[in-house]
Amino acid sequence: AQTVTQSQPEMSVQEAETVTLSCTYDTSENNYYLFWYKQPPSRQMILVIRQEAYKQQNATENRFSVNFQKAAKSFSLKISDSQLGDTAMYFCAFMKVDQGGKLIFGQGTELSVKP
Amino acid sequence: EPEVTQTPSHQVTQMGQEVILRCVPISNHLYFYWYRQILGQKVEFLVSFYNNEISEKSEIFDDQFSVERPDGSNFTLKIRSTKLEDSAMYFCASKGTADSGNTIYFGEGSWLTVV
């Protein structure tokens, strides 16, 4: 069975600074997807970024980038130039590449961006 | 941008009553999901649905739960006899094929309170 672990329950960062959220996972699969979802106080689940395990290049989306270390089973999220609107709970998630494709979530990291 | 829509956004129900949560997935998607998030906890998979049948379900998804896609557009979750511990945010989600990116998109959630 797959597991996803986020070891930082809470983090804070000053506006305009950079912050890195950690995620590790455990799987025997070779092909899979990894995601970061953002959940603001509205509680909607918003996709931030995704990474295909077969791709060596780290995914980037504007101010968001990942550091994907397949051998170490690590998938961290870096937020550059943090903005107040980045304040949210961030969930790391794993998905096998199969027809069903259910997501396995970590426990979440609550990020506060301070002015 | 296409989105997953859910109704109601919030429902309060008496213990033992039946509840139906409704979802309209993204129109060309083929895989549909329900997830649950108890307040302060991580998001948990309940069930996946493909080709008009359940493809996978978790241990949470017991005989009190059922899903249906009655008319080709709506996707519903029914809880037959609600319990206090069913109080949670319920997220509907959908996914296209691998060719369309294999990403799961979430609705805004239905917050269920059982009293």
Side-chain angles (χ1 to χ4, degrees):
Chain A
Q2 290 78 29
T3 58
V4 178
T5 302
Q6 294 177 248
S7 58
Q8 305 153 315
E10 297 177 357
M11 290 194 73
S12 65
V13 62
Q14 290 296 128
E15 199 175 5
E17 297 290 302
T18 295
V19 64
T20 299
L21 309 183
S22 301
C23 173
T24 58
Y25 58 94
D26 189 25
T27 184
S28 57
E29 302 287 327
N30 188 51
N31 205 10
Y32 48 86
Y33 295 89
L34 294 163
F35 303 86
W36 279 96
Y37 282 88
K38 168 185 176 181
Q39 188 179 44
S42 66
R43 300 195 71 187
Q44 185 177 4
M45 294 289 287
I46 302 167
L47 176 68
V48 175
I49 198 165
R50 52 172 266 154
Q51 173 82 41
E52 293 91 336
Y54 67 87
K55 288 187 178 178
Q56 290 189 329
Q57 187 172 7
N58 289 322
T60 62
E61 281 289 339
N62 301 312
R63 297 183 295 108
F64 299 88
S65 61
V66 298
N67 183 6
F68 173 49
Q69 302 288 327
K70 191 173 183 179
K73 294 179 183 172
S74 169
F75 182 62
S76 61
L77 173 70
K78 186 170 84 170
I79 306 174
S80 304
D81 186 25
S82 298
Q83 300 176 359
L84 297 178
D86 296 333
T87 293
M89 181 73 87
Y90 286 81
F91 290 98
C92 177
F94 171 97
M95 184 174 81
K96 281 196 306 185
V97 178
D98 60 18
Q99 276 205 337
K102 76 179 186 189
L103 287 165
I104 306 295
F105 284 90
Q107 305 93 317
T109 296
E110 187 163 9
L111 176 68
S112 298
V113 180
K114 300 187 185 306
Chain B
E1 186 176 321
E3 58 182 20
V4 178
T5 57
Q6 290 185 239
T7 54
S9 56
H10 188 194
Q11 182 163 351
V12 180
T13 190
Q14 295 267 344
M15 191 169 57
Q17 294 295 304
E18 176 183 283
V19 161
I20 297 176
L21 305 179
R22 292 182 167 80
C23 169
V24 179
I26 294 173
S27 63
N28 60 347
H29 281 187
L30 302 176
Y31 301 88
F32 313 111
Y33 308 85
W34 284 100
Y35 287 79
R36 180 181 82 173
Q37 186 183 30
I38 295 171
L39 188 64
Q41 297 186 22
K42 67 177 178 180
V43 180
E44 300 172 291
F45 168 78
L46 290 179
V47 65
S48 58
F49 192 87
Y50 171 72
N51 201 24
N52 281 320
E53 61 183 19
I54 290 173
S55 50
E56 189 174 356
K57 60 184 180 180
S58 72
E59 60 275 10
I60 303 168
F61 195 88
D62 61 22
D63 291 344
Q64 294 296 315
F65 292 89
S66 62
V67 289
E68 197 176 38
R69 188 162 160 79
D71 57 11
S73 62
N74 291 286
F75 178 52
T76 63
L77 173 69
K78 182 192 292 186
I79 309 174
R80 215 176 321 276
S81 176
T82 50
K83 303 188 280 280
L84 295 176
E85 54 265 39
D86 294 327
S87 293
M89 179 73 94
Y90 289 82
F91 290 102
C92 176
S94 69
K95 179 171 78 81
T97 63
D99 291 344
S100 64
N102 242 341
T103 297
I104 295 178
Y105 294 93
F106 286 80
E108 293 190 351
S110 294
W111 179 237
L112 176 65
T113 302
V114 182
V115 298

